[in-house]
Amino acid sequence: EALMLGLRTDEGVDVARTSARVGADLRAGRERSIARQAAAGNLDDDGATLRIPRDRWLLADDIVSRLF
C-alpha cells in the first residue's frame, strides 16, 4: 500500500525509508517489474527513489498494477 500510494505523489517513494517503516524490502520480488517499467519510461528509479514521471501520471493505475 505504501508503494502504491507513494507512486501517486510528486515525491515518489523513498525506498529505504519506506522499507524500514513497513519492515519489508519494497524491491524484493519486484526487481524485474521495476526494471521493465523503468526501461519503458513509466518509472524513474535513481536507486533511492521510485517515481512515476509527470507525463505518465494518467497511466499510474496500470504502472502500479504491473509492479504487483
Side-chain angles (χ1 to χ4, degrees):
E1 192 170 300
L3 178 61
M4 178 181 66
L5 294 174
L7 286 174
R8 287 175 166 78
T9 66
D10 193 38
E11 297 83 27
V13 177
D14 180 310
V15 176
R17 184 175 51 185
T18 305
S19 293
R21 190 181 75 202
V22 300
D25 182 359
L26 293 182
R27 292 180 184 275
R30 295 185 179 92
E31 299 89 351
R32 280 186 172 159
S33 298
I34 290 170
R36 272 192 224 115
Q37 293 305 307
N42 293 330
L43 195 62
D44 290 334
D45 179 7
D46 67 7
T49 305
L50 295 172
R51 72 175 49 88
I52 296 174
R54 278 186 177 262
D55 66 335
R56 304 293 173 105
W57 279 6
L58 293 176
L59 304 173
D61 287 342
D62 182 58
I63 295 166
V64 169
S65 73
R66 293 174 186 271
L67 299 178
F68 292 93

